[in-house]
Amino acid sequence: MINDIILIDRNKVKTPSEEKNVEKNDEMKLRIYSCQLIQEAGIILKRKAVTIATAQVLFHRFYFKKSLTDFDAKIIAPSSLYLACKLEEDFCRVYKIISAFYFLYKYEDLKSKHYYFDVKNIKLEHFRIDTESQEYKNMKVEIFTYELLILKEIGFLVHKINQHPHLFLLPYIHSLFNNLNKFDEDLTKKVAQISWGFLNDSMRTTLCCEYQPRCIAVASIFLAANKLNIPLIRSTNWFKLFDVEYEDIKRICIQILNLYKIGRCHYIDVFKNKKSS
């Protein structure tokens, strides 16, 4: 049996960044930006989907403990991915992670100007960082340092925070459509594919810290069904099958859909503890 994860009440908790006068909107955009990079680096490095999701959870959780003004998102993002690779037994050399993020940082402007930039077609060997450079050495030391700090800040209770909605998706879809007597293999595949996309996008938000994974999975199914014009009527209480409240589904859907209004985010420099050159 899968236990519920530890949640954070965003209505009651002020983040460390907010306490240090970072605008709420800026923090949200920095989280989105960093999780975009984690996902893109994970794709470049051909990491498992669960590894990428774990890295994004670690990143979000860390910034409920520490401020963006004290710890630069540009180093916590690769540190989160490096740690996630270990936790998910999806090992990746630190050199490759540094190289992937080095490329993404160097070509951030290019990506923002070219809508059809596709990280799946990138060959990492074309964008090598000099391993003898001070930049590489500093980044390597920082990643080793911050992976331990991330573990410390989440209290080593990884199993209490690290369950992903992706785990629930396919069983829930099959269960739902069987109960509605609408099971169709092709339709189920379409729902699963679209739902998976919504789940991946949801990881850019703090939903993974605010709601149980099953709630996010059900909300993603609801969005996918809506996109495919499949009626999931509230009065049938279909969501009760998964121990989820309709109001939670609505709130989650609003946050996911809001991502598409915001669009692609870019780095906002709020980091104050810069090393003097």
Side-chain angles (χ1 to χ4, degrees), residues 88-103:
E88 299 299 342
E89 298 182 351
D90 187 18
F91 183 72
C92 185
R93 290 172 57 204
V94 69
Y95 164 71
K96 289 189 174 182
I97 288 176
I98 291 173
S99 296
F101 278 90
Y102 174 82
F103 163 74

Side-chain angles (χ1 to χ4, degrees), residues 153-169:
E153 290 304 326
I154 63 175
F156 290 87
L157 297 174
V158 177
H159 64 288
K160 288 289 188 181
I161 65 166
N162 196 34
Q163 293 169 15
H164 304 311
H166 306 68
L167 176 68
F168 299 85
L169 192 65

Side-chain angles (χ1 to χ4, degrees), residues 68-258:
L68 285 156
T69 61
D70 297 329
F71 297 90
D72 192 359
K74 281 191 170 184
I75 193 62
I76 297 301
S79 302
S80 298
L81 183 57
Y82 183 61
L83 176 56
C85 287
K86 290 184 176 181
L87 294 174
E88 299 299 342
E89 298 182 351
D90 187 18
F91 183 72
C92 185
R93 290 172 57 204
V94 69
Y95 164 71
K96 289 189 174 182
I97 288 176
I98 291 173
S99 296
F101 278 90
Y102 174 82
F103 163 74
L104 291 172
Y105 293 148
K106 291 295 182 184
Y107 287 87
E108 184 180 352
D109 289 340
L110 180 67
K111 290 193 298 176
S112 67
K113 293 173 185 174
H114 293 266
Y115 183 78
Y116 293 105
F117 179 87
D118 187 354
V119 294
K120 292 179 182 177
N121 297 327
I122 296 300
K123 292 184 178 179
L124 198 57
E125 57 267 24
H126 294 165
F127 306 96
R128 293 190 183 278
I129 184 172
D130 181 4
T131 56
E132 297 301 317
S133 68
Q134 196 59 45
E135 182 180 12
Y136 173 81
K137 292 175 182 177
N138 288 344
M139 199 168 181
K140 184 176 180 180
V141 169
E142 287 175 327
I143 287 175
F144 288 152
T145 301
Y146 290 133
E147 68 155 327
L148 295 176
L149 181 61
I150 293 167
L151 267 179
K152 177 187 172 187
E153 290 304 326
I154 63 175
F156 290 87
L157 297 174
V158 177
H159 64 288
K160 288 289 188 181
I161 65 166
N162 196 34
Q163 293 169 15
H164 304 311
H166 306 68
L167 176 68
F168 299 85
L169 192 65
L170 288 178
Y172 278 16
I173 289 172
H174 283 85
S175 178
L176 176 62
F177 283 90
N178 278 328
N179 274 274
L180 294 175
N181 296 318
K182 292 183 179 180
F183 184 81
D184 176 89
E185 189 172 348
D186 290 336
L187 185 63
T188 302
K189 284 181 180 178
K190 287 181 183 177
V191 173
Q193 186 177 28
I194 295 171
S195 300
W196 191 272
F198 283 126
L199 284 186
N200 286 340
D201 290 341
S202 78
M203 300 304 294
R204 287 183 268 158
T205 74
T206 55
L207 286 169
C208 57
C209 305
E210 299 174 54
Y211 293 92
Q212 296 299 338
R214 65 177 181 276
C215 300
I216 304 171
V218 171
S220 297
I221 293 168
F222 180 75
L223 285 172
N226 184 65
K227 190 169 184 177
L228 293 169
N229 295 316
I230 301 170
L232 293 178
I233 302 168
R234 180 177 182 176
S235 59
T236 62
N237 286 330
W238 60 272
F239 43 88
K240 295 288 186 182
L241 185 66
F242 311 110
D243 191 24
V244 174
E245 296 299 325
Y246 191 77
E247 290 304 313
D248 285 341
I249 294 174
K250 281 174 59 179
R251 283 190 284 266
I252 292 168
C253 288
I254 288 169
Q255 282 203 52
I256 294 174
L257 293 175
N258 192 46

